[in-house]
Amino acid sequence: MYALVDGNNFYVSCERVFRPSLEGRPVVVLSNNDGCAIARSNEAKALGIKMGVPWFKIRHLEEQASLVALSANFTLYADMSDRMMSLAAGLGPEQEIYSIDESFIGLHGVRGDLVDRARKIRARIYQWVGIPCGIGIGQTKTLAKLANHIAKTAERKPGSYPTDLAQVCNLAALPASDLDVVLSATEVGEVWGVGPRIGKQLRDAGICTVLDLVHMPPHVARDRWGVVMERTVRELQGEACIGLQGSPEPKQQIACTRSFGRPVTELRHLEEAVSEFASRAAEKLRRQRHLAGQILVFARTSPFREGPRFSRSIVVPLRRPTSVTSDLAGAALDGLRAIYRPGFQMAKAGVMLLDLVSADHVQGELALEEEPAGLRDRDRLMAAMDMVNERFGKRTLLLASSDIEQGQGTWGMKQVRRTPRYTTSWAEMPLARA
DNA sequence: TCTGGGGTCCTAGGACCC
DNA sequence: TCTGGGGTCCTAGGACCC
């Protein structure tokens, strides 16, 4: 048995904790560069604002409907997430943190009334952290996900489901006839693993509700859509195929990519950006104690704008696996210079670290040549740099190539509406009294 | 004027092996 | 006209997730 605990409209809820005046108002949180809406309050959803819609298309609602838009404040959300997760963990013996606002809880061995227990955890999270949650319970992770969707929808849209399923929904406790009613009232596209593409194919085949999908024989799902879909169907039928993943696996690739605040035309500005991206990616790499064997770098123009198009990438092999910032940035810059062509308005660039291996299990080398001097010194230098940046803030120590323009902001993000980092910065802590 | 970022898994097809 | 069988590894691309 599994539960899924999921913060409602998570980013918006985080903002509301510190600005209660946003309660009851339509609010959206915008992606980097204030590009599109990535979180919406219920009121914003009621205005018809879709997930991922570009800000310029809904901007008129600022005046017409008192819509409030905020720049994403990921530092704040990550800290609020930690607080929420530690309380959610109290629901059962095992926890898998699935995303910034969701965690699965393994309920094995938990006795007593699960719904009652879940309601108490939910109340505690709301009281101690200020985030409203939905909790779904089911025999499999896919069913817990579905139950969570029903719990949140029952609360947000009265009449869509029985009111006692609001906020906390245990599908496993429902009598079979009631379960069928609920499943037939839920669109197939709401199922975890059914995206836009497969959703359409299912509907074209006459499978429109979750109940329809539950009745599909697994081999049919496999023949037409593959093993992933078969697993989804089996999970819906109550057969657990996806286990809980306690401690997170190390990443197999690490990316750092950004859209620019304005078009970038000059190579040296691109170089500064790519050097910075490589530095950030290298930090993540060292945090998980891995080395990269290759680095990919790309740059492209906007796919949405008229004008000459450019989109190229290149994979640069490293001489030996490394996590040293200057090695990675150097290789990325070599790659960038190889693919760069003048005369384009670049809108985005990035790097990806590939072929990651654990730093503790590095393949030895035949001593065909002398080991370069100072190989270990550079690792110690990186450790020192990470410590300094951890203690005194990002970019306290950085590569010169990441700061060619010395903060002139030739490519940086637009973030006009960012709120303070209330919980992680002394200087931005809210004051009760001035 | 203005359109995010970071991941995972699976499959098909090509290269190559004996 | 006619061209085996069985296998591995790698890569690119598609679909999905939040």
Side-chain angles (χ1 to χ4, degrees), chain A residues 22-88:
Chain A
L22 297 176
E23 217 58 65
R25 295 186 63 178
V27 181
V28 294
V29 171
L30 302 176
S31 64
N32 280 338
N33 271 320
D34 296 343
C36 5
I38 54 171
R40 306 155 294 153
S41 71
N42 290 346
E43 297 79 6
K45 290 175 187 171
L47 285 176
I49 297 172
K50 302 283 183 229
M51 185 67 177
V53 70
W55 168 234
F56 71 88
K57 287 190 179 173
I58 51 172
R59 188 169 207 158
H60 60 278
L61 295 173
E62 238 180 339
E63 292 216 340
Q64 291 175 15
S66 301
L67 174 65
V68 177
L70 302 169
S71 301
N73 186 348
F74 292 114
T75 312
L76 174 67
Y77 310 150
D79 184 63
M80 296 295 281
S81 173
D82 287 346
R83 296 163 191 248
M84 182 178 97
M85 294 304 173
S86 65
L87 293 180

Side-chain angles (χ1 to χ4, degrees), chain A residues 146 149-155 157-166 169 181-187 190 210:
Chain A
L146 191 66
H149 166 77
I150 291 165
K152 295 214 281 195
T153 309
E155 180 179 15
K157 296 183 185 167
S160 56
Y161 295 104
T163 50
D164 57 333
L165 300 183
C169 167
V181 171
V182 166
L183 295 184
S184 63
T186 308
E187 285 178 34
E190 303 296 345
V210 180

